[in-house]
Amino acid sequence: LIHAERLASIGALAAGIVHELSNPLTYLGANLELLSEDLTGPDREAIDDCKLGYSKVRAIVDDLRRLSRADSGDEPKTFDVRTALTEAATIAAVQIRSTASLTIEADTPALIDGHQARITQVLLNLLVNAAQAAAASSQRGAIVARVSVDAQSVITEVEDSGAGIH
């Protein structure tokens, strides 16, 4: 129950962050587009770099938006588990980067029917747990996340080099 309440609080926090960042990002994106129309040479390259950074921040905000709506009651939809894993890895990147290297092995489309935000939340929890296990080690850890498909199943694994449960 405490864990569920904590997750609900994190979802509410994510929704608040998304709301606060969305409007300024909209202005930023629109103004970058406007500026890029009139510039050439090094100035244009600088604006293009800013647009790339804007796109990355926008993608993170969109991932957080989907994550914060994990329990919104939407109908299940077909989605690729690899997309959910990528979103989870993006959100967990700061924590993982400081403790371990992350390798994602997911070459085959892995379509399922379900709630993508809920699966993303599960994968995020697994990746954060793996990062915490790696942090407990005296050496830099390694995390491998795999998505594979067999005849009737999509299999998702997160493996870390931490010591495990004692």
Side-chain angles (χ1 to χ4, degrees):
L1 183 59
I2 291 170
H3 184 67
E5 288 175 0
R6 188 175 302 147
L7 287 177
S9 295
I10 291 170
L13 177 63
I17 291 169
V18 164
H19 177 74
E20 292 297 320
L21 289 177
S22 288
N23 286 340
L25 276 175
T26 300
Y27 297 133
L28 181 63
N31 286 326
L32 286 171
E33 283 299 322
L34 183 65
L35 287 171
S36 68
E37 292 174 5
D38 297 330
L39 296 175
T40 60
D43 293 336
R44 174 63 185 256
E45 291 173 16
I47 293 294
D48 288 345
D49 288 345
C50 290
K51 287 168 62 176
L52 180 62
Y54 161 82
S55 295
K56 289 180 180 181
V57 172
R58 173 55 74 187
I60 291 169
V61 168
D62 290 344
D63 290 347
L64 284 172
R65 176 180 290 118
R66 279 189 291 280
L67 183 63
S68 69
R69 294 181 179 165
D71 294 321
S72 65
D74 294 337
E75 290 295 316
K77 296 177 184 167
T78 301
F79 69 95
D80 193 333
V81 175
R82 298 176 306 169
T83 303
L85 179 58
T86 300
E87 289 177 3
T90 300
I91 295 168
V94 172
Q95 188 165 8
I96 292 171
R97 195 176 312 129
S98 64
T99 61
S101 62
L102 173 62
T103 303
I104 296 177
E105 299 173 358
D107 296 329
T108 305
L111 301 177
I112 64 169
D113 291 328
H115 294 87
Q116 183 174 336
R118 292 178 185 173
I119 299 299
T120 301
Q121 178 67 54
V122 169
L123 294 170
L124 175 60
N125 290 345
L126 292 171
L127 290 171
V128 168
N129 287 345
Q132 291 170 347
S137 174
S138 61
Q139 299 177 17
R140 183 160 176 79
I143 300 170
V144 179
R146 291 182 196 88
V147 176
S148 58
V149 179
D150 69 12
Q152 299 195 11
S153 302
V154 171
I155 301 147
T156 307
E157 302 171 283
V158 176
E159 178 183 336
D160 64 71
S161 61
I165 299 172
H166 298 284

